[in-house]
Amino acid sequence: MYGTQSRRDLTFDCQAQIPILRPSIHARRANITVKFQDLYGFTVEGNVDDVNVLNEVREKVRQQGRVWWALEASKGANWYLQTQVSSTLTSSLKFSVLVNAITLKRLIRKGIPPSLRPKVWFSLSGAAKKKSTVPESYYDDLIKAVQDKVTAATKQIDHDLPRTFPGHPWLDTPEGHATLRRVLVGYSFRDSDVGYCQGLNYVAALLLLVMKTEEDAFWMLSVLLENVLVNDCYTNNLSGCHVEQRVFKDLLAKKCPRIAAHLEALEFDVSLVCTEWFLCLFSKSLPSETTMRVWDVLFYEGAKVIFHVALAIFKMNEEKLLVAHQVGDVINIIQRTIHHLFDPDELLTVAFDKIGSMTTTTISKQRKKQEPAVMAELDERLRRLNSINGDDK
């Protein structure tokens, strides 16, 4: 799924890329920690129970793949694009489109097969449409134009490249570094307001492992930052990210009141664990195969999915968190959980069934409510910093 392998034709057998993991007899008997490589080339550590869970998940992926391929055969290769209800359609066609939309939402929450993921993401996220609005040579021209330019963003990118998933068999190679650099530098010039923010390196790296080409990964990053996520999340002062943290804290109090009250009593700041989730979109936290399942839904349903998943992680640990006595205990509980969350179905079931509905409109209202306080806080921080710098002169 990475490097030259990522350019294979999508018609290959979707079963072949989902191997069964088989720990040794000794490992099974002793239930010791074993290492194995996941579908995206990452080395994962877990006990035999984790391996069993992952094998069960992969069997579900194979079954889900058969459902998707059957729909491709019966409805057409791009049936999932026929999900927008238009007023110009006849009643019978509207019903057909509505059925497609309901089917698609359900299927995406159950997971897009890895072999179909590149083209489904590219179409449904809006990346294909965004790419179609510029000349065909846009990306190549951009990369050529900026290849020798040096900015604060390019310097930070160069600093972060070797720290982006070190040890990965493709990303941590000269070719992998060069490819990731082109995508990140290219985007830093496309949107100078964002430039480059630490965290984007991990997001872009995973996009490169999924998408068929480097250019497709660039357009996925573009649509993610410009259309899917909240504005200003990756600007210099991270104002959007600060807003998201405040919105999440309010949602936690509403959806998980017992947890929120207990964490407040411990004086625990949720941003200690959540900032990375919102900036890296779980790419550094969850196992990669679980992260991809979250992104399946993110690219279709939007940024509200991040809140659903973040709340689910707390909800899944409710009983443990309620008996935690120190801030360090809370962090350890959360980190142990997310690093071994090999079953995306368990996570997403909690995220959407137990957390309950959250509309994009509701979250947008919460953001507008929190924005003035965040901007006032950032302005005050800047004033204090300028005052200190003035005193030093």
Side-chain angles (χ1 to χ4, degrees):
M1 294 298 293
Y2 49 88
T4 56
Q5 291 180 345
S6 66
R7 291 166 175 78
R8 290 180 298 180
D9 194 291
L10 284 177
T11 58
F12 70 83
D13 181 5
C14 66
Q15 317 299 328
Q17 62 167 328
I18 310 174
I20 295 295
L21 302 170
R22 294 183 173 87
S24 67
I25 293 176
H26 172 71
R28 291 198 298 271
R29 287 175 177 171
N31 200 31
I32 61 176
T33 298
V34 294
K35 291 185 178 182
F36 50 90
Q37 196 174 76
D38 68 13
L39 294 183
Y40 295 94
F42 294 99
T43 298
V44 180
E45 290 189 5
N47 59 33
V48 176
D49 288 339
D50 293 328
V51 173
N52 290 336
V53 168
L54 198 50
N55 279 332
E56 290 174 5
V57 169
R58 290 183 176 184
E59 176 56 33
K60 291 179 183 177
V61 171
R62 278 187 286 272
Q63 294 172 5
Q64 189 71 356
R66 287 190 282 270
V67 173
W68 277 83
W69 287 112
L71 285 167
E72 292 253 314
S74 64
K75 291 176 176 286
N78 296 316
W79 70 271
Y80 46 83
L81 297 180
Q82 311 303 319
T83 56
Q84 300 297 317
V85 178
S86 169
S87 58
T88 61
L89 296 176
T90 64
S91 296
S92 59
L93 284 177
K94 282 183 181 180
F95 179 75
S96 176
V97 169
L98 188 59
V99 169
N100 275 357
I102 295 171
T103 301
L104 181 60
K105 184 175 182 179
R106 187 186 308 120
L107 281 175
I108 287 177
R109 287 188 178 185
K110 289 184 177 180
I112 302 169
S115 56
L116 287 175
R117 190 167 273 145
K119 75 165 189 171
V120 175
W121 278 11
F122 202 66
S123 298
L124 293 181
S125 66
K129 183 177 181 180
K130 186 175 287 288
K131 180 182 177 181
S132 71
T133 63
V134 298
E136 189 173 339
S137 62
Y138 175 92
Y139 180 70
D140 289 339
D141 293 343
L142 174 65
I143 297 307
K144 288 175 184 176
V146 305
Q147 63 182 353
D148 295 323
K149 295 185 181 295
V150 178
T151 64
T154 65
K155 290 178 181 178
Q156 187 62 54
I157 289 168
D158 289 334
H159 181 69
D160 287 347
L161 288 174
R163 303 192 298 178
T164 307
F165 299 124
H168 187 276
W170 181 73
L171 288 170
D172 195 13
T173 65
E175 180 192 357
H177 288 173
T179 306
L180 179 58
R181 186 184 192 277
R182 286 193 294 271
V183 171
L184 292 172
V185 170
Y187 192 79
S188 75
F189 281 90
R190 173 179 168 84
D191 187 344
S192 57
D193 289 337
V194 170
Y196 170 72
C197 173
Q198 287 176 302
L200 290 180
N201 50 322
Y202 296 101
V203 174
L206 285 197
L207 289 173
L208 281 169
L209 297 185
V210 174
M211 304 309 295
K212 292 188 69 181
T213 68
E214 169 187 330
E215 184 176 359
D216 285 353
F218 170 84
W219 286 112
M220 287 300 299
L221 183 66
S222 299
V223 81
L224 184 66
L225 299 183
E226 296 164 16
N227 301 94
V228 178
L229 301 178
V230 65
N231 291 334
D232 302 328
C233 206
Y234 293 95
T235 50
N236 285 337
N237 63 4
L238 298 178
S239 59
C241 186
H242 289 297
V243 170
E244 299 293 76
Q245 299 301 312
R246 284 174 172 260
V247 172
F248 177 74
K249 188 175 181 180
D250 283 352
L251 291 172
L252 186 67
K254 182 180 296 184
K255 298 289 186 177
C256 307
R258 294 170 67 211
I259 296 175
H262 185 67
L263 295 182
E264 187 173 354
L266 293 178
E267 298 183 345
F268 177 79
D269 184 352
V270 293
S271 65
L272 290 173
V273 293
C274 292
T275 299
E276 183 179 281
W277 300 349
F278 282 88
L279 286 177
C280 300
L281 306 180
F282 303 102
S283 59
K284 281 186 68 180
S285 310
L286 295 171
S288 70
E289 294 179 45
T290 303
T291 301
M292 298 308 180
R293 287 285 302 279
V294 172
W295 286 14
D296 284 347
V297 193
L298 172 67
F299 284 124
Y300 186 58
E301 298 189 33
K304 69 173 186 175
V305 171
I306 304 172
F307 292 102
H308 275 278
V309 173
L311 288 168
I313 292 170
F314 278 89
K315 184 67 175 177
M316 293 168 72
N317 289 283
E318 182 165 14
E319 299 309 317
K320 293 179 182 178
L321 290 172
L322 291 178
V323 296
H325 298 296
Q326 297 179 357
V327 168
D329 296 334
V330 175
I331 295 174
N332 288 335
I333 290 168
I334 296 296
Q335 289 184 341
R336 277 199 303 269
T337 296
I338 57 180
H339 291 155
H340 292 272
L341 245 174
F342 294 107
D343 187 352
D345 289 316
E346 179 186 9
L347 174 64
L348 295 177
T349 296
V350 175
F352 294 108
D353 294 347
K354 294 188 178 181
I355 294 302
S357 176
M358 290 189 294
T359 66
T360 300
T361 302
T362 300
I363 292 175
S364 295
K365 289 179 179 178
Q366 286 288 324
R367 286 180 181 134
K368 290 181 180 179
K369 174 184 173 184
Q370 296 295 344
E371 280 173 1
V374 167
M375 298 311 298
E377 183 179 298
L378 291 174
D379 287 345
E380 178 59 27
R381 187 182 302 175
L382 183 61
R383 278 195 294 270
R384 288 200 304 267
L385 182 61
N386 290 337
S387 176
I388 293 172
N389 292 337
D391 293 341
D392 289 341
K393 291 181 179 179

